[in-house]
Structures are given as C-alpha cells and as structure tokens.
Amino acid sequence: MLTDSYRHKGMRKSLVRIVQEKGIKDKKVLQAIDQVPRHFFFEKAFLEQAYQDKAFPIGEGQTISQPYTVAYQTELLDVRPTDKVLEIGTGSGYQCSILLQLTPHVYTIEYNEVLFHKANRQFQLMGLSPFTFLGDGSEGLPQHAPFDKILVTAGAPIIPKTLLRQLTLGGKLVIPVGDTGLQKMLRITRMGEDEFTKEVFGNFKFVPLLGKQGWQ
C-alpha cells in the first residue's frame, strides 16, 4: 500500500525549492516534481534519502537519478501535452513518472530485466500507463518511431544515429555524451532529413548506456 502523507508532501515542496534555487525555471517541470512521490521508488528505511537532491542506488549497478538532473533533462526536452516521447533507460521509473505528468504518450525501454519488471510493478501500483519495453535502448524503438522527443538517461560514448533517425522534423534528443566518468549534456534538434543542430550544456555523471550503440 502506497501512502503519500502531509509529511511526504512537505518534503517534496522542499525538494522543489532546492531544484528551483539551482536554476530550474519551467513551472510544468517543477509541478511534476511536486506531484510525483519520489519515496514510492525507495525502500521504507530510506525515506529521508528519497527527498534529498542526490542519486541513490537501486540495485543492478544502477541509480535513481538526482532530482535536479531529472528536472534539468526534462526542462531541456520541453515536452508538450501532445508530444510522443521515448525514454531510453527506465531504471526505477521515476523519470518516466515525471514525463507522464507532461504527456500521456510516453514509451520507455529498459536494458536490465530485473529493473524492467520492478518498474512495471511500480507503474501498476501508481496507476500509471507508459508503454514499456525490455531491450536495447541504444537502438531506440524503430517499430514505434517517429518520436517528438527522445530522452536518454544514461551516458553514451557517441550520439546513436539510430536515435537521430527516429526523431520527427523539429524533434529533440536530449542525451549525455562522453566517457564513463563524465558526460556533456547535449540537445540535438532535427531540422531536416539529414540536418541537425547541436546545443551543448553542462557536465553530468550518468551510469553507462549499454547496448550496440552504447558501451558494449
């Protein structure tokens, strides 16, 4: 049974203030952070950690991303209510739950089978209905393309060409690219059939993107 008490809501309001003070301005993103109970993705013993602005291990060598990072990527993605969004790396399901506050059309793919099943159980408990897939996220979901927005929640060695081809015209890809230690956040916008613009943002540290177009 999931409970979201006044105390939890108060802790979430504090978290929203923290990410706001760090520079997140998009009201829709701040509202999404306020609406999704992050403690649902934690064991009961770790309630205090749930509302700290920190990443936290979720098993299988993966982490639930820092709330600021989730907000930062989501703000860069600029999701509209009609957008069809692909998330690469479901992980705990927290980032996906944030995206679902902004559009109902969210497709998410996870490489790790244990995390895939765990996230699906979580979505069910929360009454959320993203389209979930188990597989190689670095290859995207060509059978469901094109997507207006693609969000990669793991560090990639390169920008996967397969993902670029799955964007709509005017579509955006937000992806951290670099080595396994540090990545630059990039936003790629598709301007034409083979024409893309690239914007470079701050440094981040993500778990590695696994798969054919990622770290093998």
Side-chain angles (χ1 to χ4, degrees):
M1 182 68 181
L2 300 176
T3 55
D4 189 27
S5 67
Y6 285 117
R7 184 182 175 218
H8 296 133
K9 287 171 180 161
M11 291 167 94
R12 221 152 46 245
K13 292 260 183 281
S14 301
L15 181 61
V16 169
R17 278 196 297 276
I18 290 166
V19 297
Q20 205 169 7
E21 281 161 12
K22 287 187 173 182
I24 302 300
K25 294 181 179 67
D26 190 322
K27 284 190 169 56
K28 296 192 303 297
V29 174
L30 294 167
Q31 199 177 359
I33 297 282
D34 190 37
Q35 281 169 339
V36 176
R38 193 168 182 255
H39 67 279
F40 285 0
F41 301 88
F42 285 70
E43 302 291 333
K44 279 197 177 70
F46 300 117
L47 174 63
E48 297 304 321
Q49 283 89 338
Y51 292 108
Q52 291 173 1
D53 188 29
K54 290 178 182 170
F56 196 79
I58 55 168
E60 302 296 308
Q62 304 296 305
T63 59
I64 180 172
S65 289
Q66 180 185 354
Y68 170 72
T69 304
V70 169
Y72 189 92
Q73 282 199 299
T74 309
E75 188 171 67
L76 283 184
L77 208 60
D78 187 25
V79 180
R80 314 260 161 89
T82 54
D83 280 348
K84 185 177 166 188
V85 179
L86 171 61
E87 178 197 32
I88 311 294
T90 315
S92 67
Y94 177 65
Q95 171 73 75
C96 183
S97 303
I98 296 289
L99 293 171
L100 284 164
Q101 306 303 310
L102 307 172
T103 175
H105 317 291
V106 180
Y107 294 69
T108 182
I109 182 166
E110 173 55 47
Y111 193 84
N112 182 290
E113 195 170 351
V114 174
L115 294 181
F116 170 76
H117 292 300
K118 197 174 171 185
N120 270 327
R121 283 194 298 275
Q122 191 62 48
F123 294 138
Q124 223 168 359
L125 285 169
M126 293 173 71
L128 299 174
S129 311
F131 301 96
T132 63
F133 300 84
L134 175 66
D136 183 352
S138 74
E139 299 273 87
L141 280 175
Q143 68 276 33
H144 295 282
F147 297 95
D148 301 297
K149 306 285 161 65
I150 299 178
L151 178 64
V152 181
T153 65
I158 53 160
I159 301 164
K161 287 192 169 64
T162 46
L163 297 184
L164 295 176
R165 286 196 290 272
Q166 289 172 41
L167 282 173
T168 56
L169 201 58
K172 291 179 169 61
L173 163 67
V174 171
I175 180 170
V177 176
D179 57 34
T180 51
L182 197 67
Q183 303 91 33
K184 286 263 184 223
M185 194 68 75
L186 307 181
R187 181 167 61 187
I188 316 294
T189 306
R190 187 172 200 170
M191 309 302 287
E193 186 59 35
D194 293 306
E195 193 188 339
F196 300 87
T197 61
K198 180 169 86 171
E199 298 165 274
V200 182
F201 298 92
N203 292 322
F204 287 85
K205 185 172 170 43
F206 282 81
V207 294
L209 175 70
L210 302 174
K212 283 184 192 166
Q213 307 282 317
W215 301 97
Q216 296 290 347

